[in-house]
């Protein structure tokens, strides 16, 4: 069952329990407490799983390409149990048999780090990261490149966080 349907089912259950509490107030002292607790849990789950969208970020121009042929990346991040997770899609729109690359750069108390992913057509980045604020995670940047090398035709670094 999807998260949205689960939250809606929980909200419907909470509403029906509240209706029962209103109908029989003398017998519902403990039920009202349980209803408030389930509503609080549903609210916390909704806040935890919210998506924060960013992008798109584009590759640089090269070899006479126009905007319609630039590679791009767009995505979102979530926070779950104190960890930041990143998701997104990398698209190569010109189909010139050159790779498209997406670079991730972040900083924490251990220093600066980079990771690069590549694709020929469409690449799906799923559940990357797990960064914690308690480890000093405070910066996350993205850039897109396209060509025969991961340093060719790079766009600017953009903030995602």
């Amino acid at each position: 069952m999807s998260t949205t349907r689960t939250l809606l089912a929980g909200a419907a259950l909470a509403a029906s329990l509240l209706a029962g509490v209103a109908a029989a107030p003398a017998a519902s002292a403990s039920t009202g407490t349980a209803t408030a607790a389930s509503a609080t849990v549903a609210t916390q789950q909704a806040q935890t799983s919210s998506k924060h969208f960013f992008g798109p970020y584009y590759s640089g121009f090269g070899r006479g390409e126009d905007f319609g042929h630039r590679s791009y990346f767009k995505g979102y991040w979530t926070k779950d149990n104190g960890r930041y997770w990143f998701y997104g899609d990398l698209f190569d729109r010109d189909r010139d048999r050159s790779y498209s690359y997406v670079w991730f750069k972040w900083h924490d108390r251990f220093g600066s780090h980079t990771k690069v992913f590549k694709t020929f057509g469409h690449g799906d980045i799923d559940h990357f990261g797990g960064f914690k604020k308690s480890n000093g995670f405070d910066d996350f940047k993205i850039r897109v490149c396209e060509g025969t090398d991961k340093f060719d035709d790079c766009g600017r670094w953009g903030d995602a966080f």
Side-chain angles (χ1 to χ4, degrees), residues 70-91:
R70 293 170 71 189
S71 297
Y72 72 96
F73 178 82
K74 63 181 180 174
Y76 64 93
W77 61 268
T78 63
K79 184 177 178 185
D80 185 25
N81 292 326
R83 293 183 178 270
Y84 294 87
W85 298 97
F86 292 84
Y87 306 81
D89 292 302
L90 176 61
F91 295 94

Side-chain angles (χ1 to χ4, degrees), residues 55-125:
Y57 301 103
Y58 294 93
S59 63
F61 288 97
R63 297 177 299 279
E65 293 178 333
D66 62 15
F67 183 78
H69 290 116
R70 293 170 71 189
S71 297
Y72 72 96
F73 178 82
K74 63 181 180 174
Y76 64 93
W77 61 268
T78 63
K79 184 177 178 185
D80 185 25
N81 292 326
R83 293 183 178 270
Y84 294 87
W85 298 97
F86 292 84
Y87 306 81
D89 292 302
L90 176 61
F91 295 94
D92 184 354
R93 296 191 293 183
D94 63 2
R95 294 176 173 65
D96 62 357
R97 301 304 294 164
S98 290
Y99 281 105
S100 292
Y101 303 88
V102 61
W103 285 82
F104 299 114
K105 180 169 66 170
W106 67 95
H107 179 265
D108 59 21
R109 72 177 180 191
F110 305 108
S112 293
H113 314 278
T114 58
K115 175 117 176 122
V116 64
F117 295 94
K118 68 180 180 178
T119 187
F120 264 132
H122 171 246
D124 184 32
I125 312 301

Side-chain angles (χ1 to χ4, degrees), residues 17-30:
L17 288 173
L18 283 176
V21 168
S28 64
S30 64

Side-chain angles (χ1 to χ4, degrees), residues 5-27:
R5 288 193 298 190
T6 303
L7 290 174
L8 287 174
L13 177 63
S16 67
L17 288 173
L18 283 176
V21 168

